[in-house]
Amino acid sequence: MAVKEFSQHQEVTPLLEKYLRTAQQSSKDEIHDVSVAVASLAQQTVEQRLQHIREETEIRLWSSVFKSSAEGIIITDCDNNIVAVNPAFLQKTGYLAEEVLGKNPRILSAKRENPEFYAAMWQSISSHGYWLGEVWDCDKNGTQRPYLMSISSVHDANGKTINYVGYYTDISDRIRAEDELRRHRDNLEELVAARTLALEETNQKLTLQSN
């Protein structure tokens, strides 16, 4: 098949075209060597395309997870400036994307945590690439909410940190339930203490009367 005809039916690289032209002007042994080289190039091309397809599929999958997650997701660059947020984050905080992109996540802080808290958090991320804990943040209207937050570092092929990914889970309902249980427990403890005191006083009176 002539190079021109081959090019009309398949995508070929300049190097592959060179091999095909060489094959047309060579001996049988040379043609065999060129054929082997062409087959190798074709195999490499197929593998590269398959890898490209796999990468595109993975990107689409993660994009779908990012957009459809019910939990807030925030991605920052290596300097901790926000580069992406998902719809759930915007819904929970009330911010528009353009209001937070390029900003440091500290704009969300309710300022309940002390510097030692954040120092320990970043030490964990630096040492283990991961941190999980509870924080209080503010939405756009200033309402403070408790979140269970996880932060993971993302690295390039050389191990250099290029991004941080944070997942926000609103735990307001859990905190309210814990507070109600705590109040109920405190009330029970006060009631038990009052009953115990009343019984002790009654026993003391009975003891005095019997004497």
Side-chain angles (χ1 to χ4, degrees), residues 90-102:
L90 300 176
Q91 181 180 10
K92 291 175 183 294
T93 63
Y95 281 100
L96 300 176
E98 54 266 29
E99 293 176 320
V100 297
L101 293 180

Side-chain angles (χ1 to χ4, degrees), residues 3 7 14 16-26 34:
V3 172
S7 300
L16 185 55
E17 291 178 344
K18 177 182 177 181
Y19 281 143
L20 290 171
R21 293 192 183 95
T22 301
Q24 292 175 331
Q25 303 170 0
S26 304
V34 171

Side-chain angles (χ1 to χ4, degrees), residues 77-95:
D77 59 20
C78 61
D79 295 320
N80 207 29
N81 297 311
I82 299 173
V83 296
V85 291
N86 72 336
F89 172 87
L90 300 176
Q91 181 180 10
K92 291 175 183 294
T93 63
Y95 281 100

Side-chain angles (χ1 to χ4, degrees), residues 40-121:
S40 176
L41 277 174
Q43 179 64 28
Q44 293 177 20
T45 300
V46 170
E47 291 176 352
Q48 290 172 355
R49 288 181 177 176
L50 288 175
Q51 178 63 26
H52 183 64
I53 291 173
R54 285 192 291 267
E55 290 175 352
E56 285 187 337
T57 300
E58 185 174 352
I59 290 173
R60 285 195 296 269
L61 174 62
W62 283 112
S63 177
S64 176
V65 170
F66 180 77
K67 293 178 180 178
S68 62
S69 173
E71 309 302 334
I73 302 176
I74 181 172
I75 301 175
T76 69
D77 59 20
C78 61
D79 295 320
N80 207 29
N81 297 311
I82 299 173
V83 296
V85 291
N86 72 336
F89 172 87
L90 300 176
Q91 181 180 10
K92 291 175 183 294
T93 63
Y95 281 100
L96 300 176
E98 54 266 29
E99 293 176 320
V100 297
L101 293 180
K103 305 291 182 60
N104 189 293
R106 72 170 63 96
I107 64 172
L108 305 169
S109 176
K111 297 180 174 56
R112 291 197 180 194
E113 294 78 23
N114 56 36
E116 290 75 16
F117 173 90
Y118 289 107
M121 180 186 78

